[in-house]
Amino acid sequence: MSFEHEKRESLRLLSGLENGSLTAADAFNVADKCDPVVVHLVLRYLREKYPASEPSAAGVTRRLVELTSTYDKIVAKAKKGEKDSISQWFTETYNMREFFNSPEGFVDLIIEKIEG
């Protein structure tokens, strides 16, 4: 996948799960082509931005549960991404909250680091 295509698909995954424009099957098809680091960090981003304790988070939480309970391959991919040194670097360097108002900046940073 090209740099721009990876960024576009990663952002599509994040926004589709966030706003409900992707079904679980569609999200799986997008995530399946994304880097494991992207899958891990996008799922983490959404879990942190929309904690289950927030009533307004119900839709996002439902979509995340549907995706991860239906597709074991995505869970395995996210776990692989979690162990990657880029995920470790991100966790040590940034607070996820910094990107809640800038999902594009979040995706750009991750893809640039992966491609770099």
Side-chain angles (χ1 to χ4, degrees):
M1 218 182 303
S2 74
F3 182 75
E4 285 303 317
H5 185 67
E6 181 87 27
K7 281 173 40 175
R8 193 170 44 254
E9 290 300 288
S10 300
L11 196 55
R12 185 170 159 231
L13 176 65
L14 190 156
S15 61
L17 287 168
E18 188 169 28
N19 65 30
S21 64
L22 291 178
T23 64
D26 291 337
F28 168 76
N29 288 328
V30 174
D32 195 39
K33 296 177 190 122
C34 289
D35 188 280
V37 170
V38 169
V39 174
H40 164 67
L41 289 174
V42 163
L43 295 180
R44 190 177 136 212
Y45 174 96
L46 292 169
R47 285 188 184 113
E48 287 189 28
K49 187 172 180 180
Y50 299 96
S53 58
E54 277 293 315
S56 63
V60 175
T61 302
R62 185 174 26 73
R63 287 186 288 277
L64 287 173
V65 168
E66 185 179 356
L67 176 66
T68 56
S69 63
T70 306
Y71 300 98
D72 293 343
K73 188 174 179 184
I74 294 304
V75 174
K77 194 169 204 173
K79 284 183 179 174
K80 180 180 178 188
E82 183 178 18
K83 293 180 179 101
D84 191 282
S85 61
I86 293 172
S87 291
Q88 307 293 323
W89 161 82
F90 182 88
T91 301
E92 291 167 6
T93 310
Y94 296 96
N95 181 326
M96 197 62 84
R97 292 190 165 287
E98 295 174 52
F99 298 97
F100 286 174
N101 293 321
S102 178
E104 295 87 358
F106 171 69
V107 168
D108 284 351
L109 178 72
I110 294 165
I111 301 301
E112 284 172 18
K113 187 72 173 177
I114 290 168
E115 299 286 323

